[in-house]
Amino acid sequence: MPKFADEVDRLSVEREPGVICLFPMQSADAPTHIRILEIYASDEAYQNHLKTDHFLRYKQGTLHMVKDLKLPTMQPLDPATMQLIFRKLR
């Protein structure tokens, strides 16, 4: 999974203007549990992302690894803070 996750997150952020963040994380307590924080500029950006070659390669390459998949949609409680967070990374 890490190889595929590294490729899809890097390529998505580099090539897709609507992909703000794709950040895969591994659970310290359960190394086989992966969470990916995904932030898109819009639903349209997300839908476009699902059609890219790098996403489809990731999806095909990880199908046999995924035992449980949940895609909860979250709403930011303080959207203005996101700009501050990303500004700190510069």
Side-chain angles (χ1 to χ4, degrees), residues 49-64:
H49 168 69
L50 297 179
K51 299 172 191 166
T52 63
D53 289 339
H54 48 271
F55 175 77
L56 295 172
R57 200 168 34 253
Y58 160 79
K59 193 72 173 169
Q60 283 298 100
T62 59
L63 278 176
H64 67 286

Side-chain angles (χ1 to χ4, degrees), residues 58-72:
Y58 160 79
K59 193 72 173 169
Q60 283 298 100
T62 59
L63 278 176
H64 67 286
M65 298 178 210
V66 177
K67 305 298 180 213
D68 184 29
L69 179 63
K70 295 177 185 149
L71 302 170

Side-chain angles (χ1 to χ4, degrees), residues 64-84:
H64 67 286
M65 298 178 210
V66 177
K67 305 298 180 213
D68 184 29
L69 179 63
K70 295 177 185 149
L71 302 170
T73 299
M74 308 293 287
Q75 297 298 321
L77 296 178
D78 182 8
T81 301
M82 187 184 336
Q83 294 177 17
L84 298 173

Side-chain angles (χ1 to χ4, degrees), residues 8 11-13 15-22 38-55:
V8 76
L11 292 176
S12 299
V13 172
R15 296 179 182 177
E16 298 176 65
V19 176
I20 297 169
C21 170
L22 276 184
E38 301 182 32
I39 303 173
Y40 300 91
S42 64
D43 185 56
E44 181 182 12
Y46 173 65
Q47 296 303 322
N48 289 335
H49 168 69
L50 297 179
K51 299 172 191 166
T52 63
D53 289 339
H54 48 271
F55 175 77

